[in-house]
Amino acid sequence: MNAFHDRRIVLGISGGIAAYKAVEVCRRLVDAGAYVSPILTEDAHRFIGPVTFSALASEPVHTSLWDDASPIPHTRLGQNADVIVVAPATARIISAYATGSSYDLLTATLIATRAPVVICPAMHTEMWEHPAVQHNIEVLRSRGVIIVDPQEGRLAGGDIGAGRLADPDTIVGAVESVLSGRGHDLAGLSVVVTAGGTREPIDAVRVIANRSSGKQGYAIAEEAHKRGASVTLISTVDRPTLSGISVIEVETAAQMLHAVEQHAPQSDVVVMTAAVADFRPVHVADGKIKKHNGIPEIRLEPTPDILAALGASKSTGQVLVGFAAETDDVVDNARGKLKKKNLDLIVANDVSAPGVGFGHSTNAVTIISVDGSETFVPLADKHTIATAVLDSVLAVRTALRPQ
Ligand code: CTP
């Protein structure tokens, strides 16, 4: 299901250099099937013209409370919207919205709506870090407004620091999760996801590998990011992903263990989606093993069980999620792993079933919780599976919270 289809989005653009990036946000929202009504503030005009948005948006561009045939465009826009996004949001717009001030069409529309609002701040680092701006941001957050935090990077005038508008991927992802009804329900959480199959070297050219494509892990990382989590993805595969996700590339089980040890202790959720090799060669040949030396005998040793180590050192409140790729007695085997590795959730998939598991874009899973409950998710896109896994993570977190 496309969350954008036939939905009405008001896109507010206020006066900052990042206003040009709102063009890309507008285009993506329209391409995804939404009706987009841009509102440009007077200051936004100094950076970008309404004609650009007229050419892209499906709905008329608005610039003033007074230029419309309707005398009350703000209430009409505010009432009809499924979501309002302000990108970029200046310190002035944020302050006006936090204090309930209304002085132009965008600020009036923000006050006149009951729709969810997504604010994407962009300004210089000093302004972003000013206590007054941070206070206004906290006021808005406490009212349920979704804040898509700015990123670190190059700012106007060549300065570098925090305050750069989040990239269009992240903004569109946040809007998507609002429209799908989940909003930023993972905001404030730090999530570590592992993805792909590890590769254990035999010699300089050969490895022991497995069929994992990494798609399920990437889908979990991306859905968590869209829902507002801060995501670290530890991956063995080189796939494109959302730019707000911090990716750490690894190859072997030992490297994955090292990266997990660095990041898991301070995270709220760890999802071990990776297919970690269980065995690796005891000795890795320096160069290439040559055929004329005969058939080599490769002795194997076990790799560290990363998830079991995490389970043994789990901190209070941390949610640990494992995957179980099985071909027989799927749920029973998965339950055994949940218990043995001290997990909160395990996602069991029957990798022998058609369209399920390694390499496919679809999956079918049973999510088993430490409280004994089971949720079966029939064959679906891996992003749908990811959404179900993250919903279960939230349910576990709620259950773990002290009463
Ligand atoms: N796992 C891990 N480290 C390993 C092996 C597995 O962290 N050395 C994790 C996987 O990422 C997965 C879970 O443990 O989340 C279960 O992996 P799976 O391969 O299904 O089970 P194993 O414990 O390896 O047992 P078996 O292969 O015998 O089924």
Side-chain angles (χ1 to χ4, degrees):
M1 247 290 276
N2 174 356
F4 295 100
H5 188 66
D6 279 353
R7 309 304 288 277
R8 299 203 162 270
I9 301 175
V10 169
L11 174 62
I13 302 116
S14 61
I17 183 66
Y20 76 92
K21 290 194 195 163
V23 174
E24 179 65 9
V25 173
C26 180
R27 191 186 63 77
R28 292 207 197 179
L29 295 173
V30 171
D31 285 355
Y35 297 110
V36 180
S37 302
I39 300 179
L40 271 78
T41 65
E42 207 182 317
D43 286 345
H45 282 84
R46 295 179 183 271
F47 296 93
I48 192 137
V51 177
T52 312
F53 287 95
S54 299
L56 288 168
S58 48
E59 305 300 297
V61 178
H62 300 265
T63 54
S64 153
L65 273 164
W66 314 111
D67 64 359
D68 217 274
S70 152
I72 44 168
H74 56 297
T75 47
R76 191 171 42 76
L77 285 163
Q79 283 167 353
N80 290 344
D82 290 304
V83 58
I84 298 185
V85 195
V86 185
T90 56
R92 184 185 189 202
I93 284 285
I94 291 165
S95 163
Y97 188 31
T99 54
S101 155
S102 149
Y103 55 82
D104 66 0
L105 179 57
L106 180 56
T107 48
T109 306
L110 284 168
I111 308 291
T113 195
R114 296 208 170 126
V117 173
V118 178
I119 295 284
C120 311
M123 62 199 77
H124 249 72
T125 311
E126 292 82 352
M127 294 174 77
W128 172 243
E129 291 177 352
H130 193 284
V133 173
Q134 286 302 312
H135 173 75
N136 288 333
I137 289 286
E138 283 321 307
V139 168
L140 293 178
R141 265 195 231 277
S142 69
R143 288 188 197 140
V145 172
I146 289 154
I147 309 292
V148 179
D149 282 333
Q151 300 170 339
E152 300 250 338
R154 209 180 158 77
L155 304 165
D159 291 345
I160 296 192
R164 200 162 101 133
L165 182 70
D167 57 86
D169 264 354
T170 302
I171 297 171
V172 172
V175 176
E176 185 184 357
S177 84
V178 169
L179 289 174
S180 68
R182 290 184 169 80
H184 258 201
D185 57 0
L186 300 180
L189 293 188
S190 141
V191 177
V192 171
V193 183
T194 64
T198 62
R199 289 184 297 276
E200 309 299 329
I202 295 170
D203 65 9
V205 294
R206 301 177 181 94
V207 293
I208 296 177
N210 62 61
R211 295 180 197 278
S212 172
S213 62
K215 285 181 188 165
Q216 186 63 80
Y218 274 66
I220 290 173
E222 287 164 10
E223 292 307 317
H225 174 66
K226 287 180 195 170
R227 288 165 71 167
S230 146
V231 180
T232 303
L233 177 60
I234 300 170
S235 170
T236 65
V237 288
D238 184 14
R239 296 178 65 86
T241 191
L242 304 177
S243 52
I245 295 176
S246 149
V247 181
I248 298 171
E249 288 174 25
V250 295
E251 185 172 5
T252 64
Q255 289 166 359
M256 185 171 280
L257 173 68
H258 180 70
V260 167
E261 279 173 346
Q262 302 281 304
H263 292 88
Q266 54 282 12
S267 72
D268 303 291
V269 182
V270 183
V271 187
M272 278 294 300
T273 323
V276 185
D278 288 324
F279 307 103
R280 64 186 170 202
V282 176
H283 299 292
V284 180
D286 280 341
K288 184 183 175 195
I289 299 173
K290 299 297 287 177
K291 243 185 329 206
H292 61 73
N293 290 332
I295 300 172
E297 274 192 14
I298 301 168
R299 273 198 46 228
L300 300 176
E301 64 180 6
T303 56
D305 191 320
I306 303 169
L307 192 52
L310 287 171
S313 61
K314 187 164 64 170
S315 55
T316 319
Q318 189 178 54
V319 177
L320 213 50
V321 185
F323 269 69
E326 304 289 345
T327 50
D328 305 289
D329 303 324
V330 177
V331 170
D332 278 353
N333 280 335
R335 278 189 184 284
K337 287 176 187 172
L338 174 107
K339 200 156 182 268
K340 196 168 141 208
K341 302 193 187 192
N342 190 25
L343 310 180
D344 301 285
L345 288 171
I346 193 150
V347 184
N349 53 0
D350 178 352
V351 287
S352 62
V356 172
F358 295 135
H360 299 286
S361 294
T362 51
N363 209 350
V365 300
T366 304
I367 304 169
I368 304 162
S369 171
V370 66
D371 69 9
S373 62
E374 273 178 28
T375 311
F376 177 63
V377 191
L379 196 65
D381 175 75
K382 283 185 172 170
H383 282 267
T384 305
I385 304 286
T387 300
V389 171
L390 294 170
D391 287 349
S392 295
V393 166
L394 272 184
V396 169
R397 269 186 66 82
T398 310
L400 284 177
R401 207 171 292 147
Q403 299 302 311

